Amino acid sequence: MDLRDTPELAQFRRELRQWLVENVPQEPEPQDMVERFAFARAWQSKLYAGGWCGLSWPTEYGGRGFGPLEEAVASEEMARAGAPATFPSTHLGRALLEYGNEDQRRRYLPGLLNAGTIWCQGFSEPGAGSDLASLSTRATRDGDSFVLSGEKTWTSFGRFAEYSMVLARSDPTAPKHRGISAFIVPLDSPGISVQPIRIANGDEEFVQLFLDDVVVPAENLLGEMGQGWPLALSTVSYERGAVDLGYQVKFERYFTELVEQCKQSAALIDGTTDDAMGAVAVQLEVLRMHCLRRLSDRARTGSPGPASSGDKLFITWVEQDLMDVATRLVAPPGDEAHRLWFDRYLYGRAGSIYGGSSQIQRSILAERVLGLRFRP
Ligand SMILES: Cc1cc2nc3c(=O)[nH]c(=O)nc-3n(C[C@H](O)[C@H](O)[C@H](O)COP(=O)(O)OP(=O)(O)OC[C@H]3O[C@@H](n4cnc5c(N)ncnc54)[C@H](O)[C@@H]3O)c2cc1C
C-alpha cells in the first residue's frame, strides 16, 4: 500500500493546511455545555463555508463529491492543526442519504452538514437499549399523517436539536424487527416535551423525549413502512465507525495537549510517564492506520457494515486509556487542569455504552463478522 499523496492530493492537503492556519480558533473549547455546543456549531459552519466539510458527500446534497482519501487527509490535517471536532451527527445524515427520498435529501442534508439544523437520534427507550427491536413507541396512520406516542431516552443534544430521527412501531402485528418504521420528527411539534438528564460530569447533554400524540405528515416517513430496522442497523454502523465522527482528530488533539503539559511540567516526566505516553502514542498511530484501512474498505463496499463494531471497541479502548493516563499524570486532583482531564475521563467511560455497549459490539463481531452462533 502506497500511503504517499498523489500530486492532486498533495495540493488538496496544502490548501487545507493553509486554510486551517488562517481559521482554526485560537481560543480553547469552552467548558460550559451550552457555549461548547455553540462553539462546535460555529466551527462546523465555518468549515462548511470554506468547503472543508461533507467532503465525501454528493454535491447535489451539499457535499464536495470527493472520496475517502480526501476525508483521510482532512482528518490528518485537522488533527495536526488542533482543530475542534465537528458536530457528531453525520451518521444520521448517512441514513437520510441511504433511505431518504430525493425531496428529503435535498431538504435536510445541507443543513445537517453545515450544522444549520441540528438533529438527534430518537432510538433508545427506557425498556429498549441493547434490545432496540423491543421498542414500544407507537406510530399510527391517520389519513395523511402519522400519530406518534411514546418515550425516548439518552437522546444526545436533544436540548438543541430541531429534528429527531425517531424509530417507532408502526405494525404491532408484525415480528418485532419488521414492524418498525423511521420518521423525521420536528421537535417543535405539539405534543413533544423534553426532560434534561444530568450526566456524571454535570452536563445536561441528554434528554428524555416524550411524544404525546405527535402528528407528523406522512411525507416524514423515512424509507418504506417497516424499513426502520435495516435503517437503524445502517445508522449505528456509521455511528460506530472509526472515521465518521472525528474521534481520531479529537484524540490526537487531546494527546498533543497532554504532551505539551508534560513538557512544561518536569515533575510529570519520569519512567512511568514515558511508558504510559509511549503506549498511547502507539495506540493513536494504530488508530490512524486503522481509519485509513476502513476508509479504503468503505470505498470498495460503500458502507461500514458490522465490522464497525470492531472500530467502536477500538475507539473506546484508545479513549479510555488516553484519559486514564492523563488523569493519573496531570495532578493534583482539584487542580483546574486535572478537572478538565477528569471530565474527559468521565465522558470516556460512556464509550462502552453509546452506540451499543461493548458487550453487544463483541457479540456482533462474533456472530456477524466471524459467523459464530451461540447454541445454548
Ligand atoms: C453518551 C451516550 C450517548 C447516547 N446517545 C444516544 C442517542 O443520541 N440516541 C439514542 O437513541 N440512544 C443514545 N444512547 C443510548 C445507548 O444507545 C444505550 O444506552 C445503549 O444501547 C445501551 O442500552 P441501555 O442503556 O438500555 O442498557 P441495557 O440494554 O439495559 O444494558 C445494560 C447492560 O447489560 C448488557 N447487556 C444487555 N443485553 C446484553 C446481551 N444480549 N448480551 C450481553 N450483554 C448484554 C449491556 O452490555 C449493558 O452492560 C446514548 C448512550 C450514551 C452513554
Side-chain angles (χ1 to χ4, degrees), residues 120-126 128-131 153-157 205-206 239 347 350 352-360 363:
C120 65
Q121 178 176 334
F123 287 12
S124 305
E125 298 183 358
S130 301
D131 185 13
T153 194
W154 312 123
T155 316
S156 303
F157 312 110
E205 183 180 304
F206 305 104
E239 184 182 10
Y347 200 84
S352 319
I353 305 172
Y354 74 81
S357 70
S358 292
Q359 287 91 338
I360 296 298
S363 292

Side-chain angles (χ1 to χ4, degrees), residues 29-31 257 261 323 327 335-346:
E29 203 178 354
Q31 293 305 299
E257 228 179 89
Q261 286 177 15
M323 298 315 164
T327 40
D335 175 84
E336 183 56 25
H338 184 272
R339 199 187 63 78
L340 177 64
W341 284 109
F342 190 62
D343 273 359
R344 291 172 178 168
Y345 168 89
L346 285 178

Side-chain angles (χ1 to χ4, degrees), residues 10-238:
Q11 176 61 19
F12 176 87
R13 190 187 288 279
R14 273 193 299 276
E15 284 173 24
L16 173 55
R17 199 173 278 186
Q18 183 56 34
W19 188 89
L20 289 168
V21 167
E22 289 160 13
N23 290 281
V24 167
Q26 295 306 305
E27 67 274 24
E29 203 178 354
Q31 293 305 299
D32 174 74
M33 158 101 218
V34 176
E35 289 172 21
R36 203 165 63 238
F37 165 79
F39 183 83
R41 196 171 192 174
W43 168 243
Q44 184 157 336
S45 99
K46 191 172 187 181
L47 260 185
Y48 185 86
W52 302 110
C53 193
L55 292 172
S56 62
W57 294 68
T59 48
E60 58 272 41
Y61 310 125
R64 292 284 309 272
F66 287 127
L69 288 175
E70 285 80 3
E71 290 280 10
V73 167
S75 289
E76 278 180 11
E77 291 304 322
M78 291 197 204
R80 184 197 296 245
T86 52
F87 209 76
S89 59
T90 46
H91 60 297
L92 299 174
R94 296 284 176 188
L96 277 164
L97 189 59
E98 198 171 332
Y99 287 88
N101 58 35
E102 191 58 16
D103 180 51
Q104 290 168 335
R105 292 173 180 169
R106 287 187 185 274
R107 184 162 167 198
Y108 297 116
L109 280 174
L112 190 144
L113 291 177
N114 69 22
T117 42
I118 301 298
W119 285 68
C120 65
Q121 178 176 334
F123 287 12
S124 305
E125 298 183 358
S130 301
D131 185 13
L132 184 60
S134 296
L135 59 85
S136 59
T137 294
R138 292 184 318 278
T140 313
R141 184 81 195 224
D142 181 15
D144 286 342
S145 307
F146 288 92
V147 181
L148 273 63
S149 283
E151 183 180 336
K152 296 291 173 180
T153 194
W154 312 123
T155 316
S156 303
F157 312 110
R159 275 171 73 192
F160 307 108
E162 281 101 15
Y163 290 99
S164 182
M165 193 175 287
V166 170
L167 293 180
R169 188 159 304 287
S170 51
D171 182 356
T173 63
K176 70 176 183 179
H177 292 87
R178 300 224 181 106
I180 299 171
S181 301
F183 299 88
I184 297 168
V185 179
L187 290 182
D188 58 0
S189 307
I192 299 247
S193 53
V194 295
Q195 176 76 42
I197 301 175
R198 178 161 297 182
I199 56 175
N201 69 6
D203 282 346
E204 289 182 344
E205 183 180 304
F206 305 104
V207 296
Q208 264 179 295
L209 186 65
F210 299 94
L211 300 106
D212 186 10
D213 286 341
V214 175
V215 178
V216 294
E219 67 193 31
N220 285 24
L221 174 70
L222 185 55
E224 304 293 323
M225 284 292 280
Q227 243 187 353
W229 188 247
L231 178 147
L233 289 188
S234 170
T235 308
V236 295
S237 77
Y238 284 101

Side-chain angles (χ1 to χ4, degrees), residues 310-373:
D311 301 356
K312 170 75 196 320
L313 286 168
F314 193 16
I315 292 167
T316 302
W317 286 332
V318 175
E319 179 170 26
Q320 294 182 348
D321 282 5
L322 168 60
M323 298 315 164
D324 193 43
V325 170
T327 40
R328 279 192 288 117
L329 293 183
V330 183
D335 175 84
E336 183 56 25
H338 184 272
R339 199 187 63 78
L340 177 64
W341 284 109
F342 190 62
D343 273 359
R344 291 172 178 168
Y345 168 89
L346 285 178
Y347 200 84
R349 306 317 295 170
S352 319
I353 305 172
Y354 74 81
S357 70
S358 292
Q359 287 91 338
I360 296 298
Q361 308 305 339
R362 287 195 285 271
S363 292
I364 293 171
L365 276 181
E367 289 177 17
R368 296 184 53 209
V369 178
L370 303 178
L372 303 171
R373 281 263 164 229

